Amino acid sequence: MRLHDVIPANLFWPLANHLWQSTLFAVLIAMLAFALRNNGAQARFGLWFAASLKFLLPFSLLIAAGSHLQWTKTVPIAPHGISATVQQFSQPFNDPLLVATRGSATAANHAAGGWAIALAAIWGCGVLLVLMRWLRQWLVLSAAVRAGTPVPLSAPIRVVTTPCRLEPGVFGIVRPVLLLPSGIADHLAPAQLAAIVAHELCHVRRRDNLTAAFHMLIEAIFWFHPLVWWIGSRLLEERERACDEEVLRLGNQPRVYAESILKTCQFYLESPLACMSGVTGSDLKKRVVRIMSQSMAGRLNNGKKLLLAAAALASVCLPIVLGLSSAPRISAQTQGANGAAFETVSIKPSDAMGRNVMFGIRPGGWFSAKGVTLRMLVEEAYGVKDSQVSGLPDWADSDHYDVEGKPDESVSSTLSKLSPDENKVQMMRMLQAMLADRFQLSLGHETKELPVYVLQVGKNGPKFHEAANAPPAQSMPSEEGQMSEEGQIMTSAAPMQRRQGIFMAGRGNLTLSGADLKMFANVLSRMAGRVVIDKTGLTGKYDLNLQWTPEDGEGPMLRGGAPNGPAGTSNGPAGLGGTPDASGASLSTALQEQLGLTMESQKAPVDILVIQSVEKPSQN
């Protein structure tokens, strides 16, 4: 396995999205903290801790959670309205690798993958260095606690003295210990020492070591982001200020308390770890001024309490609600996007040994399929190839069905006014909804690097021409279909006077009639067994014929189709008969010699449908 497969290049684009969102969230928190600058430090500490935790909780997770909080299963369909806006915010940066691979596969993908590995290595080294530094300091403090002498001091936690010159502090998270430097009673008066102990016990009650440990983890993961370290300094400042406020509320004299802090700073060193809560820290001059003036805090009024409650509710609930809105529910009536729906759907078992496999779309959104499997329906509904579907059960290839879908008159009238391309997109959405409703299909997406073919024009240009009488783009199709291999209509979308699409007259004899090369690439994908990407740059409608000798294992036009007779025979539409190429040319050779096209093998990330759950349909 190559390292490119373990660390995909497009992993860093979701990270960039997350950092962008977390930075914006921290800016909003800073504005709230400024609005509460004259209030208690505990409120501001809570705000900064929320900004810290946001780095561990991407908005995309909350939106995804909301999209799954539904009473019925859904399928991914095109968003609209506010849902589209939400998705743009949750993913503000497009992944250029994914965009590139959907249209092409280039060498730039591999270069970007190399950068991704280099950045991942740098990040890992940074995390390791930060953790090792903190681990070394933790071990020094742990050794000091173990070597300490117990002190019979009335306190809710164990108290020990140590000969090191560290300031008084609370060490430990699960079982905290108050660590006092030896001889501290010689430097501080009893009232001053009592004030210092009261300060440390405030840290214990507030679980400051635990919150500091959480933020230290975030600093290790996001060591490269300066905002994370700045948030850490804000947390340290507000926690010390909150303890100062509490000490004064307990009745300690401001002058005595301020002198105890100054003397501690004079004789002892500050704790090297944020998760060992001490008495120093923050801006010492500002702290003493606040303590002496006793202008420590004002209570939150009702308006500010409402503001904090609304901000907390919005930060958690809004992404979940938006996730709900981004995945519309499927009603009992199978429904597609924009209100289009099949009013009735009929699914019946089909003879697996039957001769024909057919897909048909009639004007107005009528859908008909005979002898099809669930795999064929999924490929048709999502516009993917066989290699892009993962996780289907065995019966998805062995059980065949006849499916009929009929929309109501209003939907049929709306669809009849669409162009053929718009009609196709809408039908795919309706089929996706039908699969979710009748087959209980639930799926996800992932990206894998797979072998693909890139269809390109050869050095001497194409050896075919545009169709002389191709139908206009907005003309109404009479039928669209896909059938089995020997002599059957593969795809048809044309006015009544002319059939348009791809026709197969026996294996190894393919005719394109007034159709585009994107459709041609889709058919080649089925036969080549991998995704074929059209990069010819040719956008017209073409007439062409291709004859070749199929190789063993070459895929059929449609998976599961049954042959119509001995190889080389034709029972298709008139004028489409013929036999495979007598010269024994392979598919790639025939493409180059007869059409002037080449298929180059490459590797590229490909979107994969991962089936999460599916059930056999009820019959009707």
Side-chain angles (χ1 to χ4, degrees), residues 449-473:
E449 190 174 65
L450 298 176
V452 301
Y453 286 121
V454 176
L455 186 66
Q456 297 174 310
V457 177
K459 294 181 180 179
N460 298 323
K463 299 180 181 180
F464 53 89
H465 304 282
E466 290 197 35
N469 57 344

Side-chain angles (χ1 to χ4, degrees), residues 57-315:
L57 185 63
F59 279 134
S60 57
L61 291 182
L62 294 176
I63 293 176
S67 67
H68 287 84
L69 294 177
Q70 302 185 67
W71 295 105
T72 57
K73 293 180 181 179
T74 64
V75 294
I77 61 178
H80 53 85
I82 189 171
S83 300
T85 304
V86 171
Q87 290 191 3
Q88 290 174 5
F89 171 76
S90 63
Q91 297 180 351
F93 300 116
N94 288 325
D95 184 346
L97 295 179
L98 187 56
V99 172
T101 54
R102 285 176 177 171
S104 64
T106 64
N109 295 340
H110 298 286
W115 277 107
I117 294 172
L119 291 175
I122 294 172
W123 171 81
C125 291
V127 172
L128 186 60
L129 288 175
V130 172
L131 292 177
M132 289 180 62
R133 174 181 148 221
W134 285 340
L135 178 61
R136 180 174 59 84
Q137 294 169 345
W138 178 272
L139 292 176
V140 170
L141 292 173
S142 180
V145 171
R146 288 195 303 270
T149 304
V151 177
L153 187 66
S154 178
I157 60 174
R158 188 162 65 99
V159 182
V160 299
T161 60
T162 177
C164 64
R165 294 184 56 81
L166 283 177
E167 65 173 331
V170 177
F171 177 81
I173 297 174
V174 179
R175 290 188 294 271
V177 176
L178 176 55
L179 188 64
L180 297 176
S182 300
I184 189 173
D186 298 333
H187 299 292
L188 300 181
Q192 294 172 344
L193 181 58
I196 293 296
V197 172
H199 179 99
E200 298 306 324
L201 294 180
C202 285
H203 284 307
V204 175
R205 289 191 295 270
R206 287 167 41 84
R207 304 287 196 275
D208 280 336
N209 283 4
L210 179 61
T211 55
F214 268 115
H215 187 72
M216 289 173 66
L217 173 63
I218 295 169
E219 287 178 333
I221 296 174
F222 298 97
W223 56 266
F224 52 87
H225 200 322
L227 182 62
V228 172
W229 298 93
W230 184 74
I231 290 175
S233 65
R234 302 283 72 74
L235 287 169
L236 179 61
E237 177 183 356
E238 298 299 347
R239 86 178 185 187
E240 296 304 323
R241 186 171 176 179
C243 288
D244 291 344
E245 294 170 357
E246 181 64 20
V247 169
L248 293 180
R249 275 196 292 267
L250 292 174
N252 291 276
Q253 294 298 317
R255 182 181 182 85
V256 173
Y257 181 46
E259 289 177 348
S260 66
I261 295 177
L262 291 174
K263 286 188 176 182
T264 300
C265 294
Q266 179 182 357
F267 292 106
Y268 302 105
L269 301 175
E270 183 179 357
S271 171
L273 286 176
C275 62
M276 178 179 173
S277 303
V279 72
T280 60
S282 184
D283 189 311
L284 187 59
K285 182 177 179 180
K286 289 183 179 179
R287 283 182 67 188
V288 171
V289 170
R290 284 195 298 264
I291 292 171
M292 294 302 298
S293 63
Q294 300 188 53
S295 58
M296 300 301 293
R299 289 185 175 274
L300 292 174
N301 57 34
N302 291 335
K304 290 183 177 180
K305 288 180 180 179
L306 183 61
L307 176 64
L308 285 177
L313 189 65
S315 63

